[in-house]
Amino acid sequence: MPRAGLCSRWGGRVLPLLLAYICYLLLGATIFQLLEKQAESQSRDRFQFEKLRFLENYTCLDQQAVEQFVQVIMEAWVKGVNPKGNSTNPSNWDFGSSFFFAGTVVTTIGYGNLAPSTEAGQVFCVFYALVGIPLNVGFLNHLGTGLRAHLTMLERWEDQPRRSQLLQILGLALFLALGTLLILILPPMVFSHVEGWSFSEGFYFAFITLSTIGFGDYVVGLRLDREAEEALGGTPREGSTAARTRATQDLLAWRRSLRNW
C-alpha cells in the first residue's frame, strides 16, 4: 500500500507537469513560427531576386557587384536559406522545425543551426527560455524522484515477501525495457527513416541530444535540402553546422580574393 500510494502521488505530479511541458513546447513552436517564418520568406525572396539579377547581368559585372552578391549569399546562409535550388526549398521555420527549436531552447542544447533573426523573435526567445528552462528542470527532477523511489524500494529487498520481490523485478524490467525503447531505440529508428541516416547515426544523435551535449554535427530537418541538391546534380550537403561553417569560410575566402583582384 505505501508503495502504491507513493507511485500514485508521483504519477499525479508528473502527468500534469508532462502535459504542461508539452503544451509549452507547442506554444513556443507556434509563436516562433509566426515570428520568424515571414522574415525567412522575405530573405528567401530577396535572395532569389538578387540571384536572378546576377544571372541576367553576369556579362557586365564589376568587382563591387560581385562583392554585393556574395554579401547577399552570406546573409541568406546565416539565416538558414539554402543558396542552391529555388524558392520552393522547405522552410526552416515550419511547425516541425519550430517545435524542434523550442525543444533545444528549453533543454539548453542549442545546436546553433537555427536561431531567430527578427528582434521580436529574439526577445520572445529570451523570455521563453526564462520560463521553459526551469520547467524542463522541474520535469526532469520529478522523473529522477520517481526513479529514486523505485531504487529505494529495492534497498529493502530482503524485508519483503517473495511475491513483492517478483513484482518489483517485473516492474523494474518493464521500466528499463520501456525506457530503452522510448529513448535509445525508437528515436534512432525514426531519425533514420525521416532523415535518411543509418541507425548508428540516429542512435548517436539521440544520445548527444538527450545528454544535452549538442555538438551540432547532426541536426534534423535537412533531408529535403540534400535531396534537392542531389536532384540538381550537386554533392549532398552534410546535415551539420560544421558544413555551414565551412561554406561560410569559403565565401569569406572568395570575398577576400575578390578584394585582392
Side-chain angles (χ1 to χ4, degrees):
M1 287 296 293
R3 182 173 180 270
L6 177 63
C7 293
S8 177
R9 289 196 302 271
W10 179 73
R13 293 177 182 177
V14 171
L15 291 180
L17 188 59
L18 175 61
L19 180 61
Y21 187 75
I22 295 175
C23 290
Y24 190 74
L25 290 177
L26 294 173
L27 175 64
T30 302
I31 296 179
F32 279 123
Q33 182 182 20
L34 292 175
L35 293 175
E36 295 297 327
K37 191 170 183 178
Q38 183 178 1
E40 182 203 32
S41 178
Q42 293 174 352
S43 178
R44 189 187 300 269
D45 294 340
R46 178 171 178 264
F47 173 75
Q48 293 301 326
F49 174 76
E50 294 289 344
K51 184 178 180 180
L52 291 175
R53 189 172 66 174
F54 176 83
L55 294 175
E56 290 174 356
N57 302 290
Y58 69 94
T59 56
C60 57
L61 288 176
D62 56 11
Q63 179 180 351
Q64 182 178 0
V66 174
E67 284 199 15
Q68 182 179 0
F69 182 66
V70 173
Q71 180 65 32
V72 172
I73 293 178
M74 292 177 61
E75 291 176 358
W77 186 261
V78 169
K79 293 180 180 179
V81 178
N82 186 358
K84 287 190 175 182
N86 50 43
S87 58
T88 61
N89 288 336
S91 172
N92 290 305
W93 288 104
D94 55 17
F95 186 80
S97 298
S98 300
F99 184 84
F100 176 75
F101 174 75
T104 61
V105 171
V106 299
T107 55
T108 69
I109 297 175
Y111 282 114
N113 66 302
L114 191 63
S117 59
T118 63
E119 183 176 350
Q122 292 170 351
V123 172
F124 173 74
C125 185
V126 171
F127 289 100
Y128 184 76
L130 288 176
V131 178
I133 293 175
L135 177 62
N136 179 70
V137 172
F139 175 68
L140 295 178
N141 182 52
H142 276 77
L143 288 180
T145 301
L147 179 60
R148 187 167 58 250
H150 284 285
L151 295 177
T152 301
M153 295 298 297
L154 291 177
E155 293 178 356
R156 297 192 290 268
W157 173 267
E158 297 179 354
D159 300 332
Q160 298 175 4
R162 183 174 296 276
R163 181 178 179 182
S164 179
Q165 293 177 352
L166 180 60
L167 290 176
Q168 287 189 23
I169 292 176
L170 293 176
L172 181 60
L174 180 63
F175 179 80
L176 293 176
L178 289 177
T180 302
L181 177 65
L182 294 177
I183 295 177
L184 295 178
I185 295 180
L186 186 60
M189 293 176 63
V190 173
F191 291 134
S192 298
H193 175 72
V194 175
E195 296 296 324
W197 298 338
S198 65
F199 181 82
S200 61
E201 290 174 323
F203 181 86
Y204 169 77
F205 172 77
F207 178 81
I208 294 299
T209 298
L210 291 173
S211 60
T212 71
I213 297 174
F215 287 125
D217 51 348
Y218 285 87
V219 292
V220 301
L222 298 180
R223 179 177 182 177
L224 293 178
D225 286 349
R226 294 195 298 270
E227 291 177 350
E229 292 184 11
E230 289 177 349
L232 292 172
T235 303
R237 191 180 76 181
E238 298 176 37
S240 66
T241 305
R244 177 169 296 182
T245 301
R246 287 194 296 271
T248 303
Q249 291 173 348
D250 292 341
L251 288 173
L252 289 172
W254 182 31
R255 191 178 182 186
R256 285 194 297 267
S257 65
L258 288 172
R259 288 178 177 177
N260 297 328
W261 174 49

